[in-house]
Amino acid sequence: MNFQERNIKKIVDYLNVLRTDGGIGGNGLGKKPYSKIHRKLLFLYLNIRAFLTGKVSIAYMDFNVTTRCSLNCKDCCHAMPLYKNSTHVLYNIDTFKKDVNLLLNSVDIIYDFEFLGGEPMLVPDLYKMIQYVATKNQIKNMTMYTNGTVVPSKELLLAMSSARNFLLCISNYSSNPKLSALLKHEEIISLCKKYNIRYHLFPKDKKWIKTDRLYKHNRTQKELLNEWQQCWQRDNLVFCDGKLYACQKALAIERNLGAKFLEYETVDFRNDKNARKSLKKFFSLPYISACDYCQSDKTKFVSPALQIPRQR
């Protein structure tokens, strides 16, 4: 896999989604998909732009403002139950600003900046973070994902309402009767309508892909490549605690299992003075060593949002 396949083609695909139906939550331009010629020209333009600016662009990425969550789901695809008090992350506005600036110094455009957790609404400074990102022209869209258990504060509602191209995505675990007392869908949606906030409530989760225990398998290179190619979460980029990871599992594996990743499998923006070059190498890797810890079997299913005791 090379840089163009892993990064630029992904951007072309994402821009095509924004052009047509707009993806999650809609609000696309309602136009026809790009023609083959148009896609080739856009692909060429993005390659030339990356060469001239010396920077990569990113289609979409998660920014984990916290790993703390109001739920503790057994089969969380982000492996949040692995986290302990000693491994959790909780951003404040000052650290957030510094990391966003470091990221944007090395990145050309981020087409969708996604606030994620854990549960992002647990972060006291979240409204300030949204206000700050809204001032950055390099960031074209903002999305926030919530599990629907926390009602946003007035400050947060005002920040979401005033931010350009903002979308609130609400997970729907209402098929789990044990969570009925915790879910605040109606109240959140009512407030979104009152404050004119674009939102999307996902359909009920009927089942989740089973998340097997993460441990080192000692796979061969061929097996690692196969794991990467089969993984439904691959290249769902996540930024957390100053570093960019290829997926949420890689973040959880490093912070909680003590894994040591190889060069360019993450990009450490706080310490890497050549982050721009490192990003291109990051996007050129055929797989990552975190794949040695995962199982990508998409045929095993479980009930959604089953709760388990927390680690301390």
Side-chain angles (χ1 to χ4, degrees):
M1 182 179 295
N2 58 35
F3 166 70
Q4 287 83 2
E5 290 174 335
R6 188 170 163 191
N7 176 256
I8 294 182
K9 182 180 180 297
K10 184 176 180 179
I11 296 172
V12 173
D13 291 340
Y14 186 69
L15 291 177
N16 195 45
V17 169
L18 294 180
R19 172 185 173 84
T20 54
D21 64 4
I24 294 172
N27 204 34
L29 299 178
K31 297 182 178 181
K32 292 181 179 180
Y34 289 127
S35 66
K36 288 184 179 180
I37 294 176
H38 199 158
R39 288 179 67 92
K40 288 181 179 179
L41 290 173
L42 183 55
F43 185 85
L44 178 62
Y45 163 75
L46 291 169
N47 269 285
I48 293 172
R49 183 175 181 122
F51 175 76
L52 293 177
T53 63
K55 297 181 178 182
V56 304
S57 291
I58 293 176
Y60 49 88
M61 56 163 284
D62 300 338
F63 196 113
N64 276 30
V65 289
T66 186
T67 54
R68 295 188 179 276
C69 192
S70 53
L71 298 176
N72 199 48
C73 302
K74 179 178 181 294
D75 292 278
C76 173
C77 63
H78 294 174
M80 289 302 163
L82 276 181
Y83 287 85
K84 304 178 284 292
N85 286 337
S86 60
T87 58
H88 272 302
V89 175
L90 179 67
Y91 268 91
N92 59 42
I93 185 58
D94 293 331
T95 305
F96 178 80
K97 285 181 177 180
K98 290 176 183 177
D99 276 355
V100 168
N101 289 339
L102 287 171
L103 176 63
L104 294 181
N105 283 339
S106 298
V107 171
D108 184 16
I109 295 172
I110 300 174
Y111 290 95
D112 194 3
F113 184 102
E114 302 177 351
F115 289 91
L116 207 69
E119 170 50 54
M121 289 196 194
L122 296 179
V123 179
D125 286 345
L126 182 61
Y127 74 97
K128 298 178 184 177
M129 297 174 183
I130 292 173
Q131 289 171 340
Y132 187 70
V133 171
T135 67
K136 301 298 182 180
N137 292 328
Q138 288 169 263
I139 296 173
K140 303 305 181 184
N141 299 279
M142 278 186 277
T143 304
M144 184 165 73
Y145 290 84
T146 176
N147 62 25
T149 64
V150 181
V151 177
S153 66
K154 184 175 180 180
E155 291 87 355
L156 181 55
L157 289 164
L158 290 171
M160 292 189 291
S161 178
S162 60
R164 53 186 169 77
N165 298 328
F166 184 91
L167 172 66
L168 178 65
C169 288
I170 309 166
S171 298
N172 190 344
Y173 306 149
S174 58
S175 60
N176 183 344
K178 293 184 178 180
L179 296 182
S180 58
L182 298 176
L183 299 179
K184 312 294 183 183
H185 296 160
E186 291 184 7
E187 190 171 354
I188 294 171
I189 290 171
S190 176
L191 288 168
C192 285
K193 291 178 178 177
K194 178 179 178 181
Y195 283 84
N196 197 29
I197 298 166
R198 190 162 64 99
Y199 72 90
H200 174 75
L201 176 66
F202 286 101
K204 286 183 182 180
D205 279 359
K206 300 294 185 182
K207 56 186 178 181
W208 280 7
I209 296 174
K210 179 175 172 50
T211 299
D212 292 321
R213 183 173 68 89
L214 298 174
Y215 66 95
K216 191 170 178 58
H217 293 77
N218 296 311
R219 294 187 171 110
T220 65
Q221 285 189 343
K222 183 177 179 180
E223 289 170 334
L224 290 171
L225 180 60
N226 182 64
E227 283 295 315
W228 173 268
Q229 292 175 339
Q230 297 299 317
C231 182
W232 63 279
Q233 290 181 278
R234 73 175 187 271
D235 255 349
N236 284 336
L237 304 181
V238 54
F239 189 103
C240 187
D241 203 20
K243 298 173 72 172
L244 185 69
Y245 299 81
C247 66
Q248 289 281 354
K249 291 282 182 61
L251 167 64
I253 289 165
E254 184 183 68
R255 294 192 70 85
N256 298 285
L257 301 183
K260 302 297 182 184
F261 294 148
L262 302 176
E263 192 174 19
Y264 306 123
E265 291 187 336
T266 63
V267 181
D268 185 348
F269 289 86
R270 294 179 186 172
N271 298 298
D272 188 346
K273 294 181 180 179
N274 295 308
R276 293 185 187 184
K277 292 182 179 179
S278 297
L279 274 170
K280 285 196 174 183
K281 293 180 179 179
F282 171 87
F283 281 114
S284 301
L285 298 175
Y287 57 82
I288 56 174
S289 56
C291 297
D292 196 25
Y293 290 77
C294 280
Q295 295 282 76
S296 58
D297 189 347
K298 295 182 285 187
T299 64
K300 298 178 182 178
F301 298 100
V302 294
S303 298
L306 297 175
Q307 300 300 294
I308 57 175
R310 296 180 184 274
Q311 295 200 55
R312 296 184 178 179

